[in-house]
Amino acid sequence: MDNINVFIIEDTASESDALVKVLTANNYNITGIATNFKDALNLFYNIKVDIVIIDIFLNGTPDGISFAETINAVPNASKPFVFLTSSTDRKIFERAKLTQPFSYLMKPFNELEILYAIEMAVEKFFTQENVFLSEEEDTVISSEYLFIKKGKSLKKVLITDIVYIDVEEKYCNIITENEKFVILISLTKILQLLDNSNFQRTHRNFIVNTKHIKEIVPADNLILLTGGYKATLSERYKDIIKKVRTLK
Amino acid sequence: MNKFITLVLLFFLCNPQSIISQEKNTTSVLNREMIDISKQFPSDIFFKKAVLFFLEKNWDSTLVYSQKQILTSQTKPLLDYSKFLRVYSFTQKKVFKEAEKEYSLISKNFKLYNLAKTYLGVLALEQRQFKKAITYFEDVIDLPEREYELIKKSSIIHNLGLCYLHLKKIPQAEFYLIKSIKIKEQQKDTLALIGTYGNVASLYYEQYKDALAIPYFEKAYLLAKKTNDFDLKRKATKNMAVVEENRKNYKKALVYRKEMEQWKDSLNDQNKIWEVAKLEKEFAVKEKQKEVNILQVENKLKETQRNLFLYSAAGLFILLGIGTYFYREKVKANKTIALQKENLDALNSTKDKLFSIVSHDLRSSVNALKRSNVTLLDNLASKNIDAIGTLLHKNSAIVNGAYNLLNYALLQTKQSYFNITSMSLFFITEQVAYNYKPLLLEKTIHFENTVSKSSLINADQESLKIILRNLLDNAIKFSKQNGTIKVYSQNNSPEYCDLVIEDTGFGMNEATRLKLLETNFTLSKKEHEEVIGTGLGIQLCKSMIKKNNGKFSIKSELGKGTKMIVSLPKTQDNG
């Protein structure tokens, strides 16, 4: 489980300091702080970014919106972002609203509000709303990461690191080579959102990352995985053998 | 015999006279009849035209249009009328053959069939086709009485007599002529009588029955004397002269001759007079023409004047119209301007009011902050940490009041972003309550948020936060030490979710409660100068709840506590 990388675009040092303090305290990584539009664009493409926090007004002009518009326009470059503003000016908001998905936070804000805003931005960006607020689920799935709510903050897990998933009613045990943890998500949703060329169901309760398969032992109904993990292969899902590249 | 021939010829010339007089009578009846008929069939334009030309005695055109009527129209009753018109016209043009042909086409039952026959008879007589004339006349001589409305029986009898006379059938001629005389004597038709006397006389005279003839000549002469017709007089006198000559009574003959000359001269004089009259008439016509020309010129002048007047009137009217239009537009514009002015005035007064509130309250808060800072410095100098904490909290309350002021101003100017979305009531409450944690702790107030995590409501996030902030602020402000504040949701209606903020504080009396719920906002004199915004916060809440399509109510018991209830519309599709 890794911390989330946050990129802050804010021209007032005291504001960005406060942000850094709050976010670091909640286990977010601040990977960069930009104070103007140009620096922001340069940094954005050169550092690791999971979420961008953008102050709308940079040195008196609404360059924050321009930045959002720019990253929105580039396919696959965009990341979840949150607008920060102290103005409720309608015209500015109408423009900012056009950068979908739109989430914002009014200054002054408290710790809960910024954490909530980040969660909302992630939900909206991956169009899986009402996940973190509900008691049934705590994970948003993107193409690269699982974003999991841990306590007050968010964590992420690289999907390719997942060896297999063990489903237990409402819970899913996620097993990576180094970690094991439980997330709240329904089986149907996880099957629907994970890339099914890599993830195959092998049993009522098992979803296996085919990249991590070392050996399939049909006689024992067993699949041997990296890291010494084992998964069960039931009769129903034996077709998986055909799909996995095997030595002859 | 030569003499006799001249005599006979002389009397033939009298014939048409009798027929014409008969015709005059007939024509008016006939004209009326034709007009009536053409009125009965207004759609037959050709017949109408034919009748029109018939009335104008334009025979050629009558022929053309009656022929067109026969060829084109389907109206049967008009067929016979058209043919009759053709017979009439041909008769007038003296084209006997054509007239006869047309006549043969007329159906025998036709009302005017016999009249047409009579015309043909007269024409035949004029063309000296006596036998034919006799056949035509004999057909019409013995008709029932009502048929003689248009046909003069005596004339027919006379004409028959004439025909026989010409054919030298003396007995028949004598019979008809004598009969004609009798009728005419009865009718006292002098002119016709003279002619008929003449004819009868010449009839006898030709047979050398002088004794019979002479009385008739004399009768004709005597009658002629009474008339004003010089030609008739001349002819009668001439006859007498010839008679006397033949009797070798030359003296008398001479007298008659002289008288005849006299009548001839009179006739010539009359002719001259007529010529003069004609010239005079022509002159008069010319004069009239001149007058007409002058009148025409005058008319033209008048017309020009009238046109000028018309054009100028039209021009003036248009000008008036344009004027009215622009006047109306102006009035409309004025109205709009007045309305706008009213709106602007209202807005301006709102703005002024706002400015006065803002400046007053802002000054109050700044002053409060200043005082607080001075106290803070004093306490810092004396290291009175407890007092510093209290002061800081007081400062945050002051700042909160200033925020309310700002939000109120923004709400009034409608410049603020407002977007209703679905959101979780629990998390919003949590976020807002987070800021009050230290204050709650300090006052040792027990706070619990038991809003259902599943209740989603539709609201604008920022205004909802402002509402909650104010209500929590109030709840804390009016709570005693060790009190309890509960925030919870009530699911009483399918459309609304009730959020209740309940405290165990001072509560309020009914009067205060009602005053708080009053819509019109008046700046109340501050009771505690250092706690600003009394009243403003609740007014702001009410305005914003209303804007969020919500409802607001207060339940309170003095000394026991207050319940502030905010009802907000649920997000429907998430159940």
Side-chain angles (χ1 to χ4, degrees):
Chain A
M1 253 193 204
D2 300 317
N3 287 346
I4 306 263
N5 298 319
V6 182
F7 174 38
I8 298 170
I9 303 168
E10 167 65 74
D11 62 333
T12 318
S14 61
E15 298 273 0
S16 55
D17 287 350
L19 260 178
V20 170
K21 198 177 154 195
V22 170
L23 292 177
T24 318
N26 284 290
N27 299 317
Y28 284 92
N29 282 346
I30 312 299
T31 50
I33 298 169
T35 55
N36 59 54
F37 178 68
K38 208 180 143 198
D39 289 355
L41 273 185
N42 282 337
L43 266 174
F44 179 72
Y45 290 110
N46 290 310
I47 57 169
K48 285 182 183 170
V49 178
D50 293 316
I51 285 164
V52 195
I53 294 173
I54 310 164
D55 187 8
I56 287 183
F57 280 94
L58 298 176
N59 307 312
T61 51
D63 273 349
I65 301 177
S66 309
F67 175 81
E69 285 164 354
T70 313
I71 63 164
N72 248 355
V74 184
N76 302 322
S78 189
K79 298 284 176 189
F81 55 86
V82 179
F83 281 121
L84 270 185
T85 178
S86 53
S87 155
T88 53
D89 187 83
R90 201 161 36 129
K91 280 172 199 151
I92 288 293
F93 264 78
E94 293 302 339
R95 189 180 153 199
K97 218 177 147 184
L98 296 175
T99 61
Q100 292 288 354
F102 169 61
S103 36
Y104 72 95
L105 185 60
M106 290 296 298
K107 291 182 194 172
F109 50 84
N110 62 36
E111 187 186 336
L112 280 188
E113 284 171 320
I114 182 69
L115 297 177
Y116 175 76
I118 288 173
E119 287 165 18
M120 290 304 286
V122 171
E123 280 184 2
K124 279 187 186 170
F125 191 83
F126 297 111
T127 60
Q128 295 163 43
E129 285 178 48
N130 296 324
V131 168
F132 300 127
L133 297 188
S134 75
E135 289 172 310
E136 286 88 30
E137 293 181 21
D138 66 357
T139 304
V140 163
I141 303 170
S142 79
S143 57
E144 264 187 290
Y145 293 105
L146 299 183
F147 290 94
I148 304 155
K149 189 166 177 179
K150 274 272 172 196
K152 280 198 282 185
S153 68
L154 287 186
K155 294 277 182 180
K156 64 173 182 181
V157 172
L158 196 62
I159 287 176
T160 49
D161 283 351
I162 298 171
V163 177
Y164 75 97
I165 300 163
D166 181 5
V167 184
E168 248 175 59
E169 289 179 2
K170 282 182 182 176
Y171 308 96
C172 289
N173 290 305
I174 308 284
I175 293 100
T176 66
E177 283 189 51
N178 309 318
E179 288 178 292
K180 243 185 177 182
F181 49 85
V182 178
I183 62 167
L184 275 170
I185 196 163
S186 72
L187 177 67
T188 43
K189 197 171 170 188
I190 205 165
L191 281 171
Q192 182 194 331
L193 291 168
L194 281 176
D195 176 11
N196 59 10
S197 65
N198 286 334
F199 285 88
Q200 292 288 337
R201 217 166 159 188
T202 62
H203 180 265
R204 195 163 55 87
N205 292 335
F206 286 95
I207 299 164
V208 168
N209 186 347
T210 52
K211 293 271 162 70
H212 286 275
I213 294 178
K214 279 178 134 183
E215 197 182 342
I216 298 174
V217 191
D220 296 342
N221 285 345
L222 260 181
I223 300 174
L224 300 181
L225 300 156
T226 49
Y229 293 112
K230 288 170 193 166
T232 323
L233 176 65
S234 69
E235 283 297 320
R236 198 173 155 202
Y237 298 103
K238 271 195 172 161
D239 285 356
I240 192 175
I241 301 166
K242 290 170 196 163
K243 290 177 192 167
V244 180
R245 206 181 283 172
T246 47
L247 289 171
K248 297 206 170 167
Chain B
M1 283 302 283
N2 271 341
K3 289 162 200 163
F4 289 127
I5 290 161
T6 50
L7 275 173
V8 171
L9 274 174
L10 175 84
F11 287 111
F12 285 151
L13 290 173
C14 290
N15 279 327
Q17 236 178 6
S18 62
I19 288 161
I20 286 163
S21 73
Q22 171 223 333
E23 269 178 17
K24 269 181 187 164
N25 215 351
T26 317
T27 317
S28 60
V29 179
L30 203 57
N31 286 352
R32 235 178 290 132
E33 170 94 22
M34 285 301 169
I35 290 162
D36 286 349
I37 287 292
S38 77
K39 270 181 188 166
Q40 276 178 36
F41 301 95
S43 58
D44 291 85
I45 296 153
F46 290 135
F47 185 76
K48 208 173 170 183
K49 281 194 173 171
V51 170
L52 209 71
F53 286 118
F54 164 78
L55 296 176
E56 286 175 3
K57 298 189 196 292
N58 187 339
W59 310 121
D60 290 321
S61 300
T62 312
L63 282 173
V64 170
Y65 282 106
S66 55
Q67 184 64 27
K68 276 189 181 170
Q69 170 69 19
I70 290 165
L71 290 176
T72 58
S73 173
Q74 304 296 319
T75 323
K76 280 196 175 160
L78 289 183
L79 261 178
D80 281 333
Y81 277 100
S82 307
K83 282 170 191 160
F84 175 80
L85 281 177
R86 286 180 72 75
V87 173
Y88 193 92
S89 304
F90 280 127
T91 334
Q92 293 298 323
K93 287 179 68 73
K94 315 283 181 208
V95 188
F96 182 63
K97 274 193 177 170
E98 289 296 324
E100 214 174 15
K101 210 167 103 191
E102 289 296 336
Y103 156 75
S104 67
L105 295 169
I106 298 176
S107 60
K108 294 212 164 60
N109 301 325
F110 182 50
K111 193 176 169 188
L112 301 172
Y113 180 74
N114 284 321
L115 187 63
K117 200 181 258 181
T118 317
Y119 284 128
L120 271 177
V122 173
L123 188 61
L125 177 61
E126 277 174 4
Q127 306 268 320
R128 306 185 71 82
Q129 298 190 21
F130 303 117
K131 281 186 180 164
K132 258 189 187 163
I134 287 167
T135 49
Y136 285 128
F137 285 135
E138 279 182 341
D139 276 351
V140 291
I141 195 107
D142 280 327
L143 296 169
E145 251 338 283
R146 56 178 171 82
E147 289 279 345
Y148 293 109
E149 190 190 350
L150 290 172
I151 306 162
K152 203 172 179 185
K153 198 175 177 180
S154 65
S155 299
I156 291 164
I157 294 166
H158 182 196
N159 285 348
L160 262 174
L162 273 182
C163 291
Y164 283 119
L165 185 63
H166 280 286
L167 292 169
K168 310 284 179 207
K169 290 187 177 168
I170 305 303
Q172 284 98 322
E174 188 181 353
F175 170 75
Y176 284 116
L177 285 176
I178 297 291
K179 199 174 174 185
S180 161
I181 282 172
K182 274 177 189 162
I183 294 168
K184 279 170 187 165
E185 275 172 351
Q186 273 171 13
Q187 292 173 347
K188 302 196 169 150
D189 187 348
T190 321
L191 288 178
L193 206 56
I194 296 167
T196 320
Y197 281 150
N199 284 349
V200 172
S202 48
L203 171 83
Y204 289 129
Y205 209 65
E206 223 175 312
Q207 297 169 76
Y208 301 103
K209 291 177 178 170
D210 288 10
L212 280 171
I214 288 163
Y216 282 108
F217 278 131
E218 278 174 346
K219 266 185 186 171
Y221 172 71
L222 287 172
L223 265 178
K225 262 192 164 177
K226 287 177 191 165
T227 67
N228 291 323
D229 192 325
F230 295 121
D231 203 34
L232 261 180
K233 279 180 177 176
R234 184 183 61 82
K235 281 172 187 170
T237 320
K238 191 182 173 188
N239 283 347
M240 285 305 290
V242 172
V243 168
E244 291 302 333
E245 252 178 62
N246 286 351
R247 280 206 280 184
K248 315 287 182 202
N249 196 345
Y250 295 115
K251 212 175 170 183
K252 262 193 176 172
L254 201 65
V255 173
Y256 284 122
R257 282 277 172 196
K258 273 186 180 169
E259 201 184 334
M260 189 189 85
E261 290 298 319
Q262 188 196 328
W263 294 134
K264 207 174 173 181
D265 286 350
S266 301
L267 191 66
N268 284 348
D269 285 350
Q270 199 186 32
N271 284 347
K272 267 181 194 165
I273 288 162
W274 280 345
E275 266 174 37
V276 169
K278 204 177 166 189
L279 277 173
E280 272 178 359
K281 208 174 164 187
E282 272 173 22
F283 182 72
V285 165
K286 269 185 191 166
E287 286 289 306
K288 271 273 161 222
Q289 189 60 43
K290 266 187 196 168
E291 250 175 68
V292 164
N293 285 345
I294 289 165
L295 280 175
Q296 268 177 351
V297 171
E298 270 179 13
N299 267 355
K300 261 188 193 168
L301 209 71
K302 272 183 189 169
E303 209 172 314
T304 327
Q305 276 176 343
R306 201 185 56 204
N307 283 349
L308 203 74
F309 178 73
L310 260 176
Y311 288 139
S312 51
L316 280 172
F317 191 73
I318 290 164
L319 267 175
L320 188 77
I322 293 167
T324 318
Y325 175 75
F326 278 109
Y327 178 72
R328 275 191 169 191
E329 285 297 298
K330 204 191 152 208
V331 168
K332 233 191 252 172
N334 279 348
K335 260 189 194 169
T336 319
I337 289 168
L339 206 75
Q340 283 170 343
K341 194 179 171 280
E342 238 170 69
N343 283 342
L344 280 176
D345 283 349
L347 283 175
N348 216 20
S349 77
T350 314
K351 193 199 76 186
D352 288 347
K353 198 171 137 191
L354 218 65
F355 266 122
S356 83
I357 296 168
V358 168
S359 60
H360 174 270
D361 286 11
L362 215 56
R363 197 185 303 125
S364 311
S365 27
V366 168
N367 283 339
L369 268 179
K370 253 189 187 169
R371 270 203 305 276
S372 168
N373 280 350
V374 171
T375 332
L376 202 64
L377 276 174
D378 291 347
N379 282 317
L380 266 176
S382 59
K383 300 226 162 72
N384 190 349
I385 304 298
D386 283 350
I388 292 170
T390 327
L391 276 171
L392 280 174
H393 288 143
K394 206 161 112 187
N395 280 3
S396 85
I398 292 165
V399 170
N400 210 16
Y403 270 130
N404 274 348
L405 210 57
L406 187 73
N407 287 324
Y408 188 77
L410 278 171
L411 189 72
Q412 294 299 311
T413 52
K414 290 169 186 150
Q415 284 297 310
S416 193
Y417 176 74
F418 189 88
N419 185 34
I420 288 181
T421 50
S422 171
M423 62 190 68
S424 162
L425 203 51
F426 173 78
F427 279 93
I428 297 290
T429 313
E430 278 290 285
Q431 287 171 38
V432 174
Y434 189 83
N435 280 350
Y436 293 95
K437 287 273 156 73
L439 203 61
L440 290 164
L441 212 65
E442 193 220 355
K443 261 190 151 179
T444 57
I445 294 166
H446 175 69
F447 175 83
E448 56 185 49
N449 172 13
T450 54
V451 175
S452 155
K453 280 192 183 178
S454 60
S455 35
L456 294 176
I457 48 96
N458 283 338
D460 169 61
Q461 186 177 299
E462 283 317 304
S463 52
L464 182 59
K465 278 184 182 175
I466 291 165
I467 295 162
L468 289 175
R469 227 174 270 151
N470 274 293
L471 294 179
L472 276 177
D473 206 44
N474 276 340
I476 294 167
K477 204 192 291 175
F478 296 109
S479 273
K480 297 166 216 162
Q481 207 81 16
N482 303 317
T484 306
I485 294 174
K486 287 182 191 165
V487 183
Y488 54 93
S489 56
Q490 277 178 342
N491 222 344
N492 292 335
S493 94
E495 285 112 31
Y496 288 93
C497 179
D498 293 345
L499 179 74
V500 186
I501 294 121
E502 189 182 336
D503 66 56
T504 53
F506 303 112
M508 62 184 96
N509 59 29
E510 187 65 10
T512 319
R513 191 182 80 88
L514 290 176
K515 205 177 167 191
L516 280 178
L517 288 173
E518 265 174 29
T519 41
N520 54 331
F521 165 60
T522 45
L523 256 184
S524 55
K525 182 80 187 125
K526 306 286 181 297
E527 286 168 27
H528 315 285
E529 198 61 30
E530 69 273 24
V531 185
I532 68 141
T534 314
L536 181 64
I538 229 72
Q539 291 302 331
L540 187 64
C541 280
K542 283 194 293 187
S543 302
M544 284 190 162
I545 289 166
K546 201 177 162 195
K547 212 177 168 194
N548 276 299
N549 310 314
K551 296 171 198 161
F552 179 61
S553 61
I554 303 171
K555 283 179 185 169
S556 187
E557 256 183 279
L558 200 62
K560 282 195 174 173
T562 307
K563 277 186 194 175
M564 299 279 190
I565 303 158
V566 182
S567 309
L568 289 163
K570 282 181 184 172
T571 304
Q572 291 296 340
D573 51 359
N574 274 334

